[in-house]
């Protein structure tokens, strides 16, 4: 079981680098490709759109065995990274980012099912958290390293890293992930029946709004820290380690406490905390250490809510578990796309890089409200 979860986590580690590296190298890409920073921000949005498109491909692939699906999706990760590494133009880089995003949601949806099947009774949330742990560790280790290499060598090096990691992941999935049975094929309509109920929609809305609010600010974290916080460009890679440490802490605390305090209630509290941290960032961004501290808190909240939401959607999407798992990733990345877009508006207007954090506050509060409704309707009734 541990080897299998490690292989799945290496896949999320690779996807984590693919998704979040662009925030750390945004300035480098913009300068090299001769585009503005808000234009370079479209590389974040196009990845997120690729995630949404690719996630729902599982509607057609669900009849295949999960291990074979994971091998195919990992191959797509490698292909997208290769194109990004050699892309001679901004347009082709956009296409590469879209391809990189295609396997993301489908991978998480499939890997969640495999992790739950591998877990012992009552340990489902912990197994999903272990599978998802690759994402925060990517931000702790992979993204800072990629950011450093981008600043010192070329922004293309992090994408070359993704190629190598993708190949290793492909091998480990083949060797270590058990060949679990495909989910029962009850027809196309059966996959969508869970959407008749309110619970999955509350979870999806909370993911879209709550995570989108945090990512609205995080999409412009590099220029915020440099221009408002006064940090030198060379220190950004170190600060990205702090952000990654927050993500790791959030993920691990979630794995330990979410089941004990009920996942819906636990994530609701974290979402309120994220809103408070974003508000503090807006008002105090020019105090460098405060901005860095709020970055740690916000990143901890971002990944503290991820695993419980992934587990909750599987629990409340009977008959369409794989599709439900994809919906969470689609919602996460649609929120990412919307957040990057909305955050770019005040930046383009010249209002400053602290304004994306302010825009994220009402989104984070709306996500907290959805989780509060979910908790009271579906968790309190079981007390």
């Amino acid at each position: 079981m541990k080897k299998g979860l490690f292989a799945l986590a290496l896949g999320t580690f690779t996807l984590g680098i693919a998704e979040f590296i662009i925030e750390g190298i945004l300035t480098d890409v913009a300068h090299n490709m001769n585009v503005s920073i808000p234009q370079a921000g479209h590389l974040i949005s196009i990845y997120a759109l690729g995630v949404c498109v690719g996630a729902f491909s599982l509607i057609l692939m669900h009849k295949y065995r999960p291990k074979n699906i994971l091998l195919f999706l990992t191959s797509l990760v490698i292909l997208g990274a290769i194109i990004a590494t050699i892309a001679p133009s901004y347009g082709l880089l956009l296409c590469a980012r879209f391809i990189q995003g295609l396997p993301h949601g489908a991978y998480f949806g499939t890997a969640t099912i495999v992790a739950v099947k591998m877990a012992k009774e009552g340990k489902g949330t912990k197994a999903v958290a272990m599978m998802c742990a690759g994402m925060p560790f990517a931000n702790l280790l992979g993204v800072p390293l990629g950011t450093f290499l981008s600043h010192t060598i070329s922004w293309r090096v992090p994408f070359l890293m993704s190629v190598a990691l993708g190949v290793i992941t492909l091998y480990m999935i083949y060797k270590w992930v058990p060949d679990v049975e495909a989910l029962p094929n009850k027809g196309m309509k059966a996959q969508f029946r869970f959407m008749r109920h309110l619970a999955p929609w509350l979870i999806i809305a909370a993911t879209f709004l709550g995570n989108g609010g945090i990512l609205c600010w995080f999409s412009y974290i590099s220029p915020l820290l440099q221009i408002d916080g006064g940090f030198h460009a060379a220190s950004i890679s170190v600060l990205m380690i702090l952000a990654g440490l927050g993500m790791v802490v959030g993920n691990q605390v979630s794995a330990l406490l979410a089941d004990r305090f009920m996942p819906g209630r636990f994530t609701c509290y974290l979402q309120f905390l994220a809103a408070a941290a974003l508000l503090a960032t807006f008002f105090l961004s020019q105090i460098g250490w405060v901005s860095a501290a709020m970055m740690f808190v916000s990143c901890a909240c971002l990944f503290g809510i991820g695993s419980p939401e992934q587990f909750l959607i599987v629990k409340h999407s009977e008959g369409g578990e794989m599709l439900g798992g994809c919906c969470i990733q689609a919602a996460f990345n649609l929120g990412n796309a919307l957040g990057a877009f909305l955050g770019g508006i005040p930046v383009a207007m010249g209002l400053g890089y602290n304004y994306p954090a302010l825009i994220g506050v009402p989104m984070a509060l709306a996500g907290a409200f959805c989780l509060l409704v979910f908790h009271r309707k579906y968790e309190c009734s079981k007390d």
Side-chain angles (χ1 to χ4, degrees):
M1 173 182 168
K2 289 183 179 180
K3 285 186 176 181
L5 287 174
F6 178 80
L8 295 177
L10 185 61
T12 61
F13 181 86
T14 305
L15 289 169
I17 293 177
E19 180 173 15
F20 289 108
I21 189 61
I22 201 67
E23 280 87 352
I25 67 174
L26 197 66
T27 306
D28 295 339
V29 174
H31 290 163
N32 184 259
M33 289 290 182
N34 294 315
V35 297
S36 67
I37 289 179
Q39 281 180 301
H42 295 162
L43 294 168
I44 300 169
S45 301
I46 198 69
Y47 182 96
L49 293 177
V51 173
C52 299
V53 172
F56 294 103
S57 66
L58 280 186
I59 297 172
L60 303 175
M61 292 194 293
H62 76 283
K63 61 184 178 181
Y64 298 105
R65 299 178 83 90
K67 182 173 181 175
N68 292 335
I69 297 174
L70 290 171
L71 290 171
F72 170 72
L73 295 172
T74 306
S75 299
L76 275 183
V77 173
I78 298 169
L79 175 63
I82 290 173
I83 297 174
T85 303
I86 63 175
S89 66
Y90 177 69
L92 189 57
L93 184 57
L94 280 172
C95 293
R97 290 290 292 167
F98 180 78
I99 294 172
Q100 279 190 298
L102 287 174
H104 186 115
Y107 183 96
F108 270 89
T110 308
T112 297
I113 299 299
V114 175
V116 171
K117 284 183 174 290
M118 291 168 60
K120 297 179 181 178
E121 186 68 27
K123 301 292 184 180
T125 304
K126 186 175 182 179
V128 173
M130 290 175 66
M131 179 273 293
C132 292
M135 287 285 279
F137 273 101
N139 283 277
L140 176 63
L141 303 173
V143 172
L145 176 60
T147 302
F148 172 77
L149 293 174
S150 173
H151 291 332
T152 55
I153 303 176
S154 168
W155 60 264
R156 298 179 187 274
V157 176
F159 293 110
L160 187 61
M161 284 171 49
S162 294
V163 175
L165 286 168
V167 172
I168 296 171
T169 301
L170 194 70
Y171 174 77
M172 288 188 174
I173 289 175
Y174 175 76
K175 289 289 290 185
W176 292 345
V177 172
D179 192 15
V180 300
E181 293 289 334
L183 293 174
N185 187 6
K186 298 180 181 179
M188 188 73 70
K189 291 183 179 180
Q191 295 184 70
F192 293 89
R193 285 183 187 140
F194 73 93
M195 292 186 174
R196 297 176 182 176
H197 306 287
L198 179 62
W201 288 109
L202 287 171
I203 300 166
I204 291 168
T207 304
F208 172 69
L209 293 166
N211 293 6
I214 300 174
L215 289 164
C216 179
W217 148 84
F218 193 72
S219 298
Y220 298 92
I221 187 62
S222 180
L224 172 73
L225 291 171
Q226 292 181 62
I227 296 172
D228 285 21
F231 290 100
H232 192 272
S235 65
I236 297 301
S237 58
V238 177
L239 289 167
M240 288 298 102
I241 294 176
L242 179 64
L245 181 61
M247 295 174 185
V248 170
V249 169
N251 178 263
Q252 294 304 306
V253 169
S254 175
L256 293 172
L257 301 180
D259 281 328
R260 186 180 304 174
F261 293 101
M262 292 184 287
R265 181 172 64 182
F266 179 78
T267 50
C268 179
Y269 291 160
L270 286 184
Q271 202 67 73
F272 277 119
L273 178 60
L278 290 173
L279 194 61
T281 298
F282 172 72
F283 285 110
L284 303 172
S285 63
Q286 291 186 340
I287 304 175
W289 71 267
V290 173
S291 189
M294 292 304 100
M295 177 184 67
F296 177 89
V297 173
S298 298
C299 288
C301 293
L302 179 66
F303 277 80
I305 64 180
S307 299
E309 287 174 338
Q310 194 81 33
F311 175 76
L312 284 172
I313 195 66
V314 171
K315 184 178 179 181
H316 290 272
S317 57
E318 186 176 355
E321 292 89 349
M322 196 175 288
L323 178 60
C326 288
C327 285
I328 284 297
Q329 290 302 312
F332 180 93
N333 284 276
L334 276 175
N336 191 356
L338 180 64
F341 173 75
L342 293 177
I345 293 175
V347 171
M349 294 172 62
L351 293 178
Y353 287 102
N354 60 328
Y355 274 82
L358 182 63
I359 293 175
V361 172
M363 295 178 67
L365 289 174
F369 176 76
C370 291
L371 290 165
L372 181 62
V373 173
F374 172 85
H375 168 65
R376 290 183 174 178
K377 186 174 179 63
Y378 296 99
E379 291 182 331
C380 288
S381 60
K382 296 180 182 181
D383 291 346

